[in-house]
């Protein structure tokens, strides 16, 4: 039985509005989170991701009221992240209607929180988000890749892509799986908002180095980009924002296109 690939719209939320940026910057408005969530749920999205993108940077909690409102209008699995540092933060998000908790900065700062979350809520609830960027300053202890004659490694970033950590993405992915992550939400900062396709090297390497599901994110501009990421990397899910928010493509239309291209999806 082939597992179907999941198509996941993403709501990046700032000041109560859905926004979209380029390389995590140049943010512009994309609409109301509750309206968009309901629309995507009705259109056949498999899941929904809600990221309060400035919560960690602004040292505050995720907007609970908004999470509750979104949860009330959808009937699909719902992941919420942003500013999660503790079990209490995670509990608040789950009590307000989320099915899974996304954690990024909080996990780098205190990796043990991943195990604590898993023990309390179950592995299926714990989504570790990884924001990665190519670093061309080569170092001995990093996993080196090359493309178009250039060599690089992938570095993990935190605080909404603002702070480099020096952590190698492959090593981090393996570590978080051991600690109890149930899923990885992998975003390429280099590709974010470019609409020229996912980072296939990054996605493939992470998929090959862990046995938990990997959601590919960053760079989707057209349905073919999803076809490529599924065929080239065998990611479990593809997350997208721009193509859905600006109505270039509807979720259902994208799924029909994928099915025509022999990608197993749930219509």
């Amino acid at each position: 039985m082939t597992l179907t690939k999941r198509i996941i719209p993403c709501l990046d939320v700032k000041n109560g509005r859905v926004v979209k940026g380029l390389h995590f910057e140049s943010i512009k408005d994309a609409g109301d989170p509750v309206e968009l969530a309901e629309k995507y749920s009705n259109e056949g999205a498999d899941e929904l991701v809600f990221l309060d993108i400035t919560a960690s940077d602004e040292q505050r909690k995720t907007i609970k009221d908004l999470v509750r409102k979104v949860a009330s209008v959808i009937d699909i699995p719902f992941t919420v992240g942003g500013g999660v540092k503790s079990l209490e933060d995670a509990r608040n998000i789950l009590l307000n209607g989320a099915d899974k908790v996304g954690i990024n900065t909080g996990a780098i700062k205190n990796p043990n929180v991943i195990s604590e979350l898993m023990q309390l809520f179950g592995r299926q609830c714990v989504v570790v988000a990884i924001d990665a960027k190519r670093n061309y300053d080569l170092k001995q202890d990093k996993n080196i890749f090359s493309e178009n004659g250039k060599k690089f490694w992938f570095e993990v970033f935190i605080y909404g892509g603002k702070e480099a950590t020096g952590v190698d993405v492959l090593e981090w992915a393996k570590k978080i799986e051991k600690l109890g992550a149930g899923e990885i939400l992998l975003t390429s900062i280099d590709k974010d908002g470019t609409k020229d396709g996912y980072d296939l090297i990054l996605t493939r390497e992470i998929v090959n180095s862990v046995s938990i599901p990997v959601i590919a994110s960053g760079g989707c501009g057209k349905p073919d980009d999803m076809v490529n990421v599924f065929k080239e990397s065998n990611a479990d899910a593809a997350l997208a924002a721009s193509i859905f928010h600006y109505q270039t493509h509807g979720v259902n239309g994208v799924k029909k296109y994928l099915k025509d291209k022999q990608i197993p999806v749930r219509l």
Side-chain angles (χ1 to χ4, degrees):
M1 170 73 183
T2 312
L3 279 178
T4 56
K5 302 295 188 184
R6 291 170 290 146
I7 303 304
I8 306 176
C10 181
L11 306 176
D12 287 331
V13 176
K14 182 179 182 181
N15 301 327
R17 296 285 293 175
V18 175
V19 295
K20 192 66 202 102
L22 177 67
H23 309 308
F24 285 33
E25 292 172 352
S26 323
I27 303 288
K28 60 180 181 180
D29 189 83
D32 175 75
V34 181
E35 283 172 19
L36 287 172
E38 187 169 23
K39 173 173 164 250
Y40 298 146
S41 179
N42 292 340
E43 279 181 1
D46 296 296
E47 298 190 17
L48 188 69
V49 168
F50 174 114
L51 299 174
D52 186 343
I53 59 170
T54 54
S56 283
D57 196 32
E58 292 168 5
Q59 305 285 325
R60 62 169 172 78
K61 313 279 190 230
T62 301
I63 327 165
K64 288 186 300 202
D65 297 347
L66 198 48
V67 170
R68 194 162 53 243
K69 283 180 191 160
V70 169
S72 72
V73 298
I74 63 174
D75 55 6
I76 51 176
F78 182 32
T79 301
V80 176
V84 177
K85 296 193 202 66
S86 64
L87 294 179
E88 187 201 356
D89 296 340
R91 186 185 281 111
N92 278 333
I93 282 173
L94 294 167
L95 285 175
N96 281 283
D99 301 287
K100 306 181 200 178
V101 173
I103 182 168
N104 177 353
T105 304
I108 284 276
K109 297 283 185 188
N110 172 24
N112 292 332
V113 79
I114 299 170
S115 304
E116 291 167 6
L117 288 168
M118 176 197 67
Q119 284 154 11
L120 193 58
F121 303 117
R123 187 183 279 267
Q124 79 289 344
C125 271
V126 187
V127 179
V128 178
I130 303 179
D131 297 334
K133 191 174 181 180
R134 295 178 180 210
N135 186 326
Y136 296 90
D137 179 17
L138 304 184
K139 293 188 165 62
Q140 285 265 241
D141 59 341
K142 307 300 181 194
N143 292 285
I144 306 296
F145 304 97
S146 69
E147 187 176 43
N148 302 327
K150 288 182 178 169
K151 292 189 170 177
F152 53 88
W153 57 284
F154 289 104
E155 183 173 15
V156 176
F157 276 68
I158 54 174
Y159 292 121
K162 291 184 173 67
E163 187 178 303
T165 62
V167 175
D168 180 285
V169 75
L170 260 71
E171 301 312 315
W172 178 235
K174 291 174 196 165
K175 181 175 179 176
I176 62 177
E177 179 177 27
K178 283 200 187 88
L179 287 169
E183 191 163 41
I184 290 172
L185 169 52
L186 178 68
T187 302
S188 162
I189 296 174
D190 300 301
K191 292 287 194 172
D192 174 67
T194 61
K195 302 186 193 166
D196 62 2
Y198 297 90
D199 191 321
L200 298 177
I201 297 176
L202 171 65
T203 312
R204 183 167 54 236
E205 292 299 331
I206 296 293
V207 169
N208 291 342
S209 60
V210 298
S211 56
I212 54 177
V214 176
I215 303 167
S217 165
C220 184
K222 55 190 182 300
D224 272 326
D225 295 333
M226 290 185 178
V227 173
N228 290 339
V229 81
F230 287 135
K231 287 191 170 169
E232 299 290 329
S233 77
N234 201 27
D236 298 85
L239 179 141
S242 305
I243 71 167
F244 298 137
H245 298 343
Y246 301 118
Q247 301 181 6
T248 330
H249 299 275
V251 177
N252 212 15
V254 167
K255 285 180 145 190
K256 283 177 179 156
Y257 184 84
L258 292 173
K259 201 165 184 74
D260 288 345
K261 297 286 182 183
Q262 272 69 60
I263 304 290
V265 290
R266 188 176 58 83
L267 287 175

